[in-house]
């Protein structure tokens, strides 16, 4: 069985890509309303019928991890199932099952290495690494992601990921510089409130540490 998308579905996939860019943040954070918005377009236009429409409808009503698994199993090659695969990986992440989430993102990357949503899977994998406490590796991966996708709609999330990792590694000034640079460079970005909140917390953390007394050297006996 091939993993290539049927040429007849190219127009539908173009719509998916456009809507993903518009609703990408919501989808990667697991918001079902955004998924419904995309799938309604697919069903409404109804340029594809049969299994494609049924897969879209099935995904639209998916409420659990098992629902998503069932959709993928039943309609493995429907274009909307691409959404299901990514949403499944994110659902595992949200449930705290970072190992399975990483597996699902990796599986997507292997099945669709040239897919237009491949960056979503790559960033998802890095999020899993960070969540599993693999901070040095995650920091390097965020750097690599930004080198590969300097102007992607997920770039903002990768920049903030770099800041978090630096903070976790105790590199507070480096993290502060990243947050400040992000706020200055992308003043209208939708992630600005998150960056400002993180920066405020980090500044308080730096101030608190600077006010802590330096421990006296242990007496030499």
């Amino acid at each position: 069985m091939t993993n290539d998308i049927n040429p007849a579905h190219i127009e539908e996939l173009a719509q998916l890509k456009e809507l993903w860019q518009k609703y990408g943040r919501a989808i990667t954070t697991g918001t079902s309303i955004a998924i419904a918005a995309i799938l309604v377009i697919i069903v409404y236009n109804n340029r594809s019928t049969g299994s494609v429409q049924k897969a879209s409808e099935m995904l639209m009503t998916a409420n659990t991890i098992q629902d998503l698994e069932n959709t993928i199993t039943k309609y493995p090659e429907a274009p909307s199932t691409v959404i299901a695969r990514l949403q499944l990986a994110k659902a595992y992440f949200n449930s705290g099952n970072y190992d399975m989430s990483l597996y699902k993102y990796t599986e997507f990357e292997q099945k669709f290495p040239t897919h237009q949503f491949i960056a979503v899977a790559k960033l998802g994998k890095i999020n899993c690494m960070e969540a599993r406490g693999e901070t040095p590796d995650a920091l390097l991966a965020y750097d690599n992601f930004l080198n590969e996708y300097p102007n992607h709609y997920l770039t903002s999330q990768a920049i903030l990921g770099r800041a978090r990792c630096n903070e976790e590694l105790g590199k507070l000034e480096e993290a502060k510089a990243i947050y400040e640079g992000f706020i200055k460079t992308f003043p209208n970005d939708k992630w600005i409130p998150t960056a400002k909140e993180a920066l405020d917390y980090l500044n308080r953390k730096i101030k608190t540490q600077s006010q802590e007394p330096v421990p006296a050297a242990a007496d030499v006996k």
Side-chain angles (χ1 to χ4, degrees):
M1 182 177 293
T2 179
N3 288 323
D4 295 334
I5 300 299
N6 188 317
H9 300 152
I10 294 299
E11 183 174 354
E12 179 178 309
L13 282 171
Q15 290 179 322
L16 278 171
K17 181 180 180 181
E18 179 181 353
L19 286 166
W20 187 282
Q21 291 178 352
K22 182 176 181 180
Y23 295 104
R25 175 187 177 190
I27 292 174
T28 54
T29 54
T31 302
S32 59
I33 293 176
I35 295 175
I38 292 177
L39 298 177
V40 164
I41 294 295
I42 298 173
V43 176
Y44 178 78
N45 287 339
N46 200 23
R47 288 187 172 89
S48 301
T49 58
S51 63
V52 173
Q53 182 175 351
K54 290 178 181 178
S56 299
E57 294 171 344
M58 192 171 179
L59 180 54
M60 193 186 303
T61 58
N63 293 314
T64 66
I65 286 176
Q66 190 58 54
D67 290 341
L68 292 167
E69 292 275 19
N70 291 342
T71 301
I72 295 168
T73 300
K74 192 169 185 178
Y75 303 104
E77 297 201 32
S80 54
T81 300
V82 173
I83 297 280
R85 292 180 183 277
L86 293 172
Q87 182 65 7
L88 176 62
K90 185 60 182 179
Y92 276 119
F93 184 92
N94 289 343
S95 72
N97 192 341
Y98 305 128
D99 291 342
M100 183 57 74
S101 179
L102 180 61
Y103 174 80
K104 291 298 182 180
Y105 280 127
T106 301
E107 183 180 58
F108 182 96
E109 190 175 15
Q110 293 172 346
K111 286 179 176 292
F112 309 103
T114 61
H115 197 278
Q116 53 262 62
F117 294 165
I118 191 63
V120 177
K122 289 182 177 181
L123 186 62
K125 287 176 61 177
I126 304 172
N127 292 157
C128 291
M129 294 165 60
E130 181 185 353
R132 297 200 312 176
E134 301 166 9
T135 310
D137 291 338
L139 178 57
L140 178 60
Y142 280 127
D143 287 338
N144 292 337
F145 182 92
L146 289 168
N147 287 333
E148 186 175 3
Y149 302 101
N151 299 305
H152 198 272
Y153 59 91
L154 295 175
T155 296
S156 297
Q157 296 180 50
I159 293 173
L160 297 183
R162 285 188 66 235
R164 291 193 305 271
C165 287
N166 274 284
E167 182 177 354
E168 182 65 25
L169 293 171
K171 301 177 181 179
L172 304 189
E173 292 299 332
E174 288 89 337
K176 179 179 178 180
I178 293 172
Y179 284 129
E180 290 177 339
F182 176 78
I183 292 169
K184 182 178 180 179
T185 305
F186 306 101
N188 299 316
D189 192 274
K190 60 192 174 185
W191 288 94
I192 285 295
T194 299
K196 288 183 176 179
E197 182 179 353
L199 179 59
D200 287 343
Y201 172 80
L202 181 58
N203 282 331
R204 292 194 298 271
K205 187 175 182 179
I206 292 173
K207 183 178 180 180
T208 299
Q209 288 190 1
S210 68
Q211 294 174 343
E212 292 178 352
V214 178
D219 294 334
V220 178
K221 296 184 178 179

